[in-house]
Structures are given as C-alpha cells and as structure tokens.
Amino acid sequence: MGYISTFNFPSFMYYRFGKAFYLVSVLIFVFFLLYFYSALPENVGLGLDNSGFIDRSWEKSTFFYATVLAFVLLNAVTVFFPKSLETKASKKLHRLFPIGDPYRDYLLAWFYSFGALINASLAVAVFYVHSINNQEEISASLFNFWFYLIPILLLVWVVGLFVLFVGKFKAVQQGQH
C-alpha cells in the first residue's frame, strides 16, 4: 500500500502517453474522414443559415482534398518541433532540453497532445459537416457543446505551454537543466 502512494510517475511516460494520444487521434481522424466521405452527397454543405438551410457548399472532392491538406499542414507544423527535438536536428533545442531533462519530456508530451487536440478538432469538423448533410441522422445543433469546448481546450493547452516555459526558465536560472 505504501509503495503505491510513493510511486512517482516518470516524466518520459507523459511523453509516451502524448505520442500514443496523437497516434490514436490520427487514426480517428482518418477513420472519420473516410467513413463520412462515403456518405456525403456530391455537393457538400459546409454551413447553415439562420433558417437551417445549407448556405455554402463545395464539391465532394474539393472538401476531401481541402480537409486532407489542412490535416497534413497542421500536423506538419505541430509535429515539426518535437521531431526536431527528438532527432537532435536542432542543436540549440537539444542543448536547452537535453535527454533526461523532465521539461524535455513534458514539452514533447505537450506538443504531441496538442497535435492530438488539433486532430480531434478536425475530426469533429468532419463529423459536423456530415451532420449538416445528413440531418435525419444527427442534428447539427448537437455540436454546440464541441464548438465551445474545443477553443477552451486549445486555450488551456497554450496556457500550459507558457507554464512549462516559465518552469524551465526558473530551472535554468537556478542552475538546474
């Protein structure tokens, strides 16, 4: 019993959980996109006006390729920093966040979990577009909760990044790596 209460969760596990969360979010997004793409009509509605009618639409292939492009670009931007830190491509970053530094693992976990949050947001957007075009299955108004939750989560993650940087800067000032 005493062993469980004194167990410290190693910082590298946060990094691994962040990476696993990121991988799961990629798989969920790809599944949602492919599954819902097959159910979309040739002209995909993207938005509803005040009376509940579709006010903007794209061709099905345009929607698919635009979504894939957004996914690839957002993931490339999000994963660039942690990959450059993991592969030691940036010597300055590696010097600031050396292997074994808990802040390195926290930062890597932050970036991968942020990427997972971006992917989850894109999956919700694809699901929302599906609900607009198939309103007999799911009402688009059910997504109001997600439209408030996702920006709040993004804000919390950004604040978390600043908290990590403040902690790292304090550790550097105190002579700790």
Side-chain angles (χ1 to χ4, degrees):
M1 194 74 157
Y3 174 74
I4 293 174
S5 65
T6 60
F7 180 73
N8 289 332
F9 203 61
S11 62
F12 70 87
M13 291 301 292
Y14 292 116
Y15 157 59
R16 289 185 179 176
F17 283 132
K19 208 168 189 178
F21 183 42
Y22 175 75
L23 178 63
V24 168
S25 73
V26 168
L27 295 175
I28 288 172
F29 170 77
V30 169
F31 173 77
F32 272 27
L33 182 62
L34 295 177
Y35 182 74
F36 292 136
Y37 175 75
S38 65
L40 291 174
E42 283 305 314
N43 283 326
V44 178
L46 297 177
L48 299 174
D49 60 10
N50 291 336
S51 56
F53 294 106
I54 295 174
D55 65 348
R56 289 185 317 243
S57 65
W58 284 359
E59 288 184 21
K60 186 176 182 177
S61 62
T62 304
F63 170 74
F64 178 78
Y65 290 119
T67 305
V68 168
L69 180 66
F71 173 77
V72 168
L73 288 176
L74 288 172
N75 278 277
V77 168
T78 305
V79 177
F80 175 76
F81 179 81
K83 284 297 178 186
S84 66
L85 186 59
E86 285 178 324
T87 60
K88 301 176 189 173
S90 174
K91 299 297 181 194
K92 291 180 184 179
L93 282 176
H94 183 64
R95 226 176 335 181
L96 186 59
F97 297 102
I99 294 175
D101 182 11
Y103 285 102
R104 177 184 194 268
D105 296 325
Y106 296 147
L107 191 66
L108 289 171
W110 184 90
F111 271 99
Y112 281 116
S113 62
F114 185 73
L117 187 59
I118 296 293
N119 291 338
S121 302
L122 289 172
V124 167
V126 168
F127 194 41
Y128 175 70
V129 168
H130 170 71
S131 72
I132 287 174
N133 291 281
N134 299 308
Q135 292 203 7
E136 62 275 353
E137 294 176 20
I138 298 173
S139 173
S141 64
L142 294 175
F143 287 87
N144 290 341
F145 170 74
W146 294 104
F147 293 145
Y148 289 110
L149 180 66
I150 289 172
I152 290 171
L153 286 174
L154 289 171
L155 180 66
V156 166
W157 250 255
V158 170
V159 168
L161 179 64
F162 286 113
V163 168
L164 283 174
F165 281 142
V166 165
K168 177 62 179 177
F169 292 142
K170 284 183 179 180
V172 168
Q173 285 178 344
Q174 294 173 354
Q176 305 166 353
H177 270 211

